[in-house]
Amino acid sequence: MDNRAIVVLGSQWGDEGKGKLVDLLAQDVDLCCRCQGGNNAGHTISVNGKKFDFHILPSGLVNPVCENVIGNGVVIHLPGFFDEIEKTLAKGLDPTKRTFVSDRAHLVFDFHQTSDALRESELAVKDFKLALGTTRKGIGPTYSSKAARSGIRVHHLMNDDDTTFANRVRDCLEGEKKRYGGFDYDLDKELERYKEFRERLRPYVVDSVLYVNRALAEGKKVLVEGANAIMLDLDFGTYPYVTSSNTGIGGVCTGLGLPPNKVGKTYGVVKAYTTRVGAGPFPTEQLNEIGTHLQEVGFEWGVTTGRRRRCGWFDAVVLQYSQMINGYDSLNITKLDVLDQLEEIKIGVEYLIDGKKIDSFPSDLTVLSKVEVRYESFPGWKTDISKCREYSELPENARKYVERIEELVGAPVEWIGVGPDRDAMIRKSK
């Protein structure tokens, strides 16, 4: 049986609205998986006027029969995990019997979060522009521990005796203290807390590699939910202003233990304009009334941090680069309705340096800071499209905008979001 996983990935700098497409697709799948990142991600789903904010839990939970897996490539902060479980229960949704955690996932400790904050402060003291703008959730330091082979995985918590586990945590903590100085940290209190977490976590723990691959072998429908986005990828993003994991198609394979031939249809989720949170270059950013309009009409505040997002025009150079790496089979354009009241809408179509077009998105941020963006302009549609449910119902100018994005990116648009609710979605093609 040639059964393959469906994949949803962010195609810009994150916050594209991936959770909504995952929620829609998850209504017809058996298993929804997170493959990388941690609780630095934030996916908001609005169902019947009720909002669910997921940070570490997969968005497939909104489907009451969908099982959900947090894969080996994810780093997990157990206090945050259990807090999110409780908040989800309080909203009438029970994730406890349908959520599973990989025994190979690495643990984020509070001292990783302390290190994260100290690192940001250290950079900011040198030069405010050097601060990366992380969420300070300890994600980067945990992946650093993992790469240094001093990290602590879920199976260590489950299987080690108390002394062995304590020594692992102590060694990891000492490494952080050597780097950032002797910050205060009550290790004994932390170890006691993790003894309690061990038993609370036990029912959730599985061998996720076997679990996911067996599901595919049994013909079950599997959906993979990417976190963050390709322009924050550790290798392909605007380094060093990136996250600490591989956020593209490669992270799906390494973060779940899936072979490439088990990766099927891949959706790229793309906002109808561009946003990013935190520091780093942003060629089409609009530090003017357009940027303010997009922020306010689009409610552009981060789900995880509450920070105001930077906003700008759609950047086709970014999307062409994103498409080249991830190979989207189709696109989901989100928040098209945010553009409803604009007289003129622009798409950045080329980067120029000294008047000459450059071939692709540059790796060097010094080069990127010098680019001039060439734009194409489109007349706005000045019409409320939030009630449209068929592609033909969209104004002609809106359709022209969508079709130009298809041409520039080289991938068909399948879904178009025209509002926050689950049903505010148009299916253009299959």
Side-chain angles (χ1 to χ4, degrees), residues 289-308:
E289 68 278 2
I290 293 295
T292 300
H293 177 88
L294 295 173
Q295 283 175 340
E296 293 178 353
V297 177
F299 298 102
E300 295 296 351
W301 286 270
V303 175
T304 298
T305 64
R307 290 180 293 182
R308 184 180 283 261

Side-chain angles (χ1 to χ4, degrees), residues 8-45:
V8 175
L9 298 173
S11 64
Q12 296 160 303
W13 274 284
D15 306 307
E16 298 94 351
K18 297 179 287 294
K20 183 176 175 181
L21 180 62
V22 170
D23 171 49
L24 189 151
L25 296 174
Q27 302 311 301
D28 189 39
V29 302
D30 302 297
L31 193 62
C32 180
C33 308
R34 279 279 308 273
C35 61
Q36 43 71 225
N39 63 342
N40 58 333
H43 294 170
T44 301
I45 297 172

